[in-house]
Amino acid sequence: MRVAVFSTKPYDRDFLAEANATAGHDLVLLEPRLSVETAALAAGADAVCAFVNDDLGEPVLDRLAAAGVRLAALRSAGYNHVDVAAATRLGVTVVRVPEYSPHAVAEHCVGLMLTLNRRIHRAHNRVREHNFALNGLLGFDLHGKTVGVVGTGKIGVCVARIMAGFGCRVLASDPYPNPEALAVGVEYVPLKTLLAESHVVTLHCPLTPETHHLIDEERIAQMRSGVMLINTSRGALVDTRAVIRGLKTGRIGHLGLDVYEEETELFFEDLSDQMLRDDDFSRLSTFPNVLITGHQAFFTQEAMHNIAATTIANLNAVERHGPDGVTGPARVC
């Protein structure tokens, strides 16, 4: 199968090449993101392979379908960047990687919590300048604190398990309680209760129309004063401007982000020699109690291996058995 692979970096190429070694697909590795402007690069391909910030909206899918593309293989679990109705109408099968390493994201999430709490990033910079003063670095014990986990899929359960190991009380909000979460002592409560009682709130739910700006002005007002808010899921779960106001008032005491609602033009690129045009992101970067990483929570050897292996397995299944070759959670439409 000839596959136009968009948004590739050197590490993508290495892991995909390893996974494809025996499959023998013709992978056309492309650096640009998939968009209306770049869709023509898929000419002659049977399939496209896309990442989280690629555009698979209706205009792009129209162009891909007109060029003969009948498969979109996502290198991600989320598919909020896909117009599923348009793909179905155009006969474009969409497959994804439903699970790669929940531990990778969960461990990064906890890393953000620890770094923010103990000001490790600030302490590191001080020591490099031979400043060993402790003023301004005071943290708190996580032991005995309440952590609210919003969304208890595989990643949320991993986070709950880790925080339970720290000796935290773990609350959760999810319309579908997970027996694995209950088994580690998680207590399910309404979201309003979780926000009011949690010292730390961490987001692990998918981005849907219902969860867009889940954390907005109203919900921030429901939070405990000085709360730590962590988002390693999808950027648009959080209303950035509402969060900035929450930081300014002190309602939000710490903010850790691995995703950002306008990250498409920023993340995964080296922009160190450019002026950023995103005023909201620039404002966030000025707060000493904000820590942002560039969508790297998934980025471990194990996760990258699994993403590549599942992607190639999806291509194999469709090539051998047609669109119905991929079933279950890996099949989007």
Side-chain angles (χ1 to χ4, degrees):
M1 187 181 296
R2 184 175 176 83
V3 186
V5 188
F6 287 85
S7 296
T8 63
K9 302 296 182 186
Y11 43 83
D12 294 303
R13 297 163 196 164
D14 291 343
F15 283 99
L16 285 169
E18 178 186 11
N20 191 46
T22 57
H25 296 290
D26 180 10
L27 303 183
V28 181
L29 302 171
L30 304 165
E31 282 194 37
R33 286 187 294 108
L34 177 57
S35 65
V36 170
E37 293 75 23
T38 62
L41 296 173
D46 305 298
V48 295
C49 183
F51 197 43
V52 292
N53 287 334
D54 288 315
D55 180 1
L56 282 159
E58 185 173 18
V60 174
L61 288 167
D62 280 335
R63 286 165 171 75
L64 294 176
V69 171
R70 290 292 176 264
L71 173 65
L74 309 180
R75 304 194 306 279
S76 62
Y79 52 92
N80 53 280
H81 54 310
V82 181
D83 187 328
V84 175
T88 302
R89 175 178 60 81
L90 293 164
V92 177
T93 300
V94 181
V95 295
R96 65 183 181 125
V97 181
E99 177 185 349
Y100 38 88
S101 174
H103 304 286
V105 181
E107 290 168 9
H108 189 84
C109 169
V110 176
L112 290 175
M113 293 181 196
L114 294 171
T115 302
L116 281 165
N117 176 25
R118 304 307 297 270
R119 278 77 164 176
I120 293 171
H121 54 312
R122 299 181 66 192
H124 172 70
N125 289 334
R126 283 191 189 184
V127 169
R128 285 171 59 88
E129 296 174 356
H130 301 168
N131 178 358
F132 304 102
L134 300 183
N135 296 331
L137 302 182
L138 188 66
F140 57 85
D141 287 1
L142 279 168
H143 181 86
K145 298 299 187 295
T146 299
V147 176
V149 179
V150 182
T152 52
K154 293 183 181 297
I155 296 171
V157 167
C158 281
V159 172
R161 189 176 292 116
I162 295 169
M163 300 320 296
F166 272 89
C168 296
R169 174 193 181 208
V170 183
L171 303 181
S173 177
D174 193 305
Y176 305 101
N178 189 331
E180 291 186 43
L182 293 169
V184 297
V186 170
E187 178 186 351
Y188 280 91
V189 296
L191 180 59
K192 186 174 181 178
T193 302
L194 181 150
L195 297 177
E197 297 187 11
S198 296
H199 298 88
V200 179
V201 174
T202 179
L203 307 179
H204 302 286
C205 47
L207 178 60
T208 67
E210 294 73 28
T211 62
H212 182 266
H213 283 185
L214 179 72
I215 303 301
D216 58 7
E217 199 90 42
E218 179 182 354
R219 290 211 166 95
I220 290 170
Q222 295 170 359
M223 293 179 177
R224 178 192 290 266
S225 182
V227 68
M228 178 185 292
L229 176 62
I230 306 290
N231 186 13
T232 56
S233 188
R234 286 292 180 265
L237 295 175
V238 169
D239 180 340
T240 303
R241 293 185 180 180
V243 163
I244 289 172
R245 289 189 288 272
L247 286 162
K248 291 171 70 175
T249 64
R251 174 68 64 175
I252 298 175
H254 306 82
L255 176 67
L257 301 177
D258 186 57
V259 289
Y260 171 63
E261 63 177 324
E262 300 296 336
E263 72 178 56
T264 303
E265 301 298 327
L266 300 176
F267 288 4
F268 307 115
E269 304 298 335
D270 181 358
L271 306 178
S272 56
D273 61 348
Q274 300 180 31
M275 293 291 292
L276 295 187
R277 300 176 183 176
D278 188 321
D279 292 342
D280 291 337
F281 187 88
S282 297
R283 183 70 180 95
L284 280 175
S285 301
T286 67
F287 289 96
N289 54 343
V290 172
L291 180 60
I292 305 173
T293 53
H295 207 142
Q296 72 176 76
F298 75 99
F299 197 52
T300 66
Q301 293 181 10
E302 293 81 0
M304 290 297 293
H305 171 81
N306 292 338
I307 289 169
T310 302
T311 298
I312 297 301
N314 286 339
L315 295 175
N316 291 343
V318 173
E319 182 178 53
R320 294 168 186 168
H321 307 291
D324 293 334
V326 178
T327 58
R331 176 78 177 268
V332 176
C333 67

